[in-house]
Amino acid sequence: MTFRPLLAAYDRALGTNSGTSLFTEGEWGRMLSARLPVSSLAAGSVAALAAAVDRFSMAAGMSTGPWHLSPERITASFSGDRMMRIAGAPVVGFAELSGFFPCADGWIRTHANYPHHRSALTAALDLDPDVSPSSFADRVAASTGSDIENRCCSHSAIAVYVRSEAQWKSEAGMVTDADPLIHTVHRSDHVAFDLRAAPTCAVPRKEGPLRGVRVLDFTRVIAGPVATRVLALLGATVLRVDSPRLPEIEWQHLENGQGKRTTLLDLDSGEGVDALHELLPLADVVVTGYRPGALNALRTALEDAVSPGIIHASVSAWGPGPWYQRRGFDSIVQAATGIASIEGTAERPGALPAQVLDHSTGYLLAAAIVDGLAAREPGSAGLDVSVSLARTAAWLLAADGRSPNPVSAELPPVTTTSLHGTIRAARPALAEYQDYAAPSRPWGRDEPSLL
């Protein structure tokens, strides 16, 4: 296994140079074992972040040193849902209507973990909201994959036909193959002279090199929250902002909200928009993870450039192209792009050993943010950086190192987790950090403030 091809792809996209002596590797063995080179993707994305932190540290006059890429720690963090225990019990990763279902001409994969997604899915298929899994499966079995996919798309529900790699590349996938791993745009607005991103003194790596950086987090589920959780680990002040009308899954917040503050803002109300306009001038970074058009108030505020030189980082499922407005998650992208077919058998589709697209994309986004902060200086332009799960999947599918008969993947030992009260969660993927600064706070309970 080598992480360097992914690191090289990151460097090409950002115009950086990670060097050759920053990292040491451990033995991966059964960690994240799969037919596709998953360990290379996981380690490479964490290495990209580590290299970006070193560039930021050197720009700020801080000390740097080699990083150890620990397979056990990376695997535990990427498998956070499987490592987590609440009062000793494992969490349920997928709801009863989320998963693979056979259809008339193959398989589909659905996602209905949130109540509003389940409602949209059952409505799209003209089913009762309380339909049983068996009745749902019967309805799916009587329809073609394209019919189900089209119905769900028109109802904002989430289901895709399980494609082969060749099928995906002949359709929407060609767009993501052509895109850079990370897309960057330098805007016309410019950084003010009172840079909070530059510490007033050299802060050692373990004490938080991003201390003083302020981040507004408008992301949900895994990829975006992973990116902002890393920024918090590195010392940034992170405020996650959610809508009071969208429920959150408890275990996802407990796992990915560590080190952050969390508040609720209704951006469809005047009061919420006013609060947003008070927050944005204080932020160095805004991270968004909603589909285009889903947060019009935030988009309008960003276009008004109320905070010159701000870094706007975004993550989506599909990136630019014909599917850019569709909802999607790691499992759905795996199914559409051919990964599920590759990792499955002749009888049934399969899946990667963890939500690797989510986590790797999150680390790549965090790395791009850190590199953007390292490049900030008085008068420099504002920066937009964006990533997508589909583009990360395209890299994985194009990478060398497939294994036709991989060994069974194994989880690392419990020593890769930490216990806070009744919550056991994976330690950070960066082995230089023993734990996050604080466990997750109660969801939505903090004041909307970055001070």
Side-chain angles (χ1 to χ4, degrees), residues 68-415:
H68 175 61
L69 297 180
S70 164
E72 291 80 12
R73 290 283 291 274
I74 293 173
T75 300
S77 183
F78 277 55
S79 307
D81 55 339
R82 298 174 65 191
M83 301 296 292
M84 174 164 274
R85 297 292 184 271
I86 300 177
V91 302
V92 177
F94 290 97
E96 62 180 7
L97 295 191
S98 296
F100 292 111
F101 293 89
C103 59
D105 58 347
W107 292 81
I108 65 162
R109 177 136 198 181
T110 61
H111 195 287
N113 285 4
Y114 290 94
H116 57 293
H117 290 163
R118 179 189 171 109
S119 296
L121 181 62
T122 54
L125 300 183
D126 298 321
L127 294 169
D128 186 88
D130 297 323
V131 64
S132 68
S134 60
S135 295
F136 178 83
D138 290 341
R139 171 69 177 86
V140 170
S143 303
T144 64
S146 61
D147 177 59
I148 294 169
E149 190 175 272
N150 291 334
R151 281 173 169 266
C152 288
C153 183
S154 64
H155 284 75
S156 295
I158 307 166
V160 294
Y161 181 59
V162 177
R163 292 163 170 79
S164 68
E165 183 179 1
Q167 286 174 315
W168 174 250
K169 288 186 175 180
S170 68
E171 299 177 27
M174 292 302 292
V175 177
T176 57
D177 283 343
D179 283 348
L181 190 63
I182 299 166
H183 189 65
T184 61
V185 174
H186 292 276
R187 302 191 310 272
S188 59
D189 58 290
H190 296 278
V191 175
F193 278 84
D194 56 338
L195 288 180
R196 289 179 299 277
T200 56
C201 61
V203 180
R205 175 195 291 168
K206 293 181 181 180
E207 295 180 16
L210 296 189
R211 190 174 68 188
V213 175
R214 298 171 182 172
V215 180
L216 282 176
D217 176 7
F218 293 89
T219 68
R220 291 168 61 83
V221 196
I222 299 178
V226 162
T228 53
R229 184 182 65 183
V230 168
L231 299 180
L233 176 71
L234 296 171
T237 297
V238 179
L239 177 67
R240 174 167 159 171
V241 182
D242 283 282
S243 167
R245 292 194 297 273
L246 287 178
E248 178 58 300
I249 297 172
E250 180 188 29
W251 72 260
Q252 284 186 170
H253 171 65
L254 291 173
E255 192 211 341
N256 297 321
Q258 297 174 86
K260 311 175 194 178
R261 284 184 285 169
T262 164
T263 195
L264 302 179
L265 281 185
D266 184 356
L267 296 184
D268 291 326
S269 71
E271 181 181 354
V273 172
D274 289 344
L276 174 64
H277 279 270
E278 291 180 5
L279 287 169
L280 280 172
L282 300 174
D284 299 289
V285 181
V286 175
V287 189
T288 59
Y290 292 79
R291 293 173 302 111
L295 276 181
N296 289 322
L298 176 59
R299 183 190 63 192
T300 300
L302 288 171
E303 289 174 351
D304 289 343
V306 295
S307 183
I310 200 170
I311 295 175
H312 177 207
S314 62
V315 56
S316 65
W318 307 107
W323 283 29
Y324 80 103
Q325 284 193 311
R326 293 194 185 191
R327 289 176 167 87
F329 296 92
D330 186 309
S331 59
I332 296 297
V333 174
Q334 287 189 42
T337 59
I339 292 174
S341 295
I342 292 170
E343 297 294 340
T345 65
E347 292 75 31
R348 183 181 178 85
L352 298 176
Q355 304 288 299
V356 178
L357 301 182
D358 264 330
H359 286 266
S360 294
T361 303
Y363 281 98
L364 290 171
L365 186 62
I369 292 168
V370 173
D371 268 321
L373 290 168
R376 292 181 89 193
E377 58 183 24
S380 62
L383 181 67
D384 292 339
V385 295
S386 60
V387 295
S388 72
L389 304 187
R391 183 59 190 88
T392 302
W395 185 91
L396 181 62
L397 289 165
D400 294 331
R402 295 191 184 189
S403 300
N405 297 299
V407 297
S408 298
E410 292 182 355
L411 290 175
V414 72
T415 53

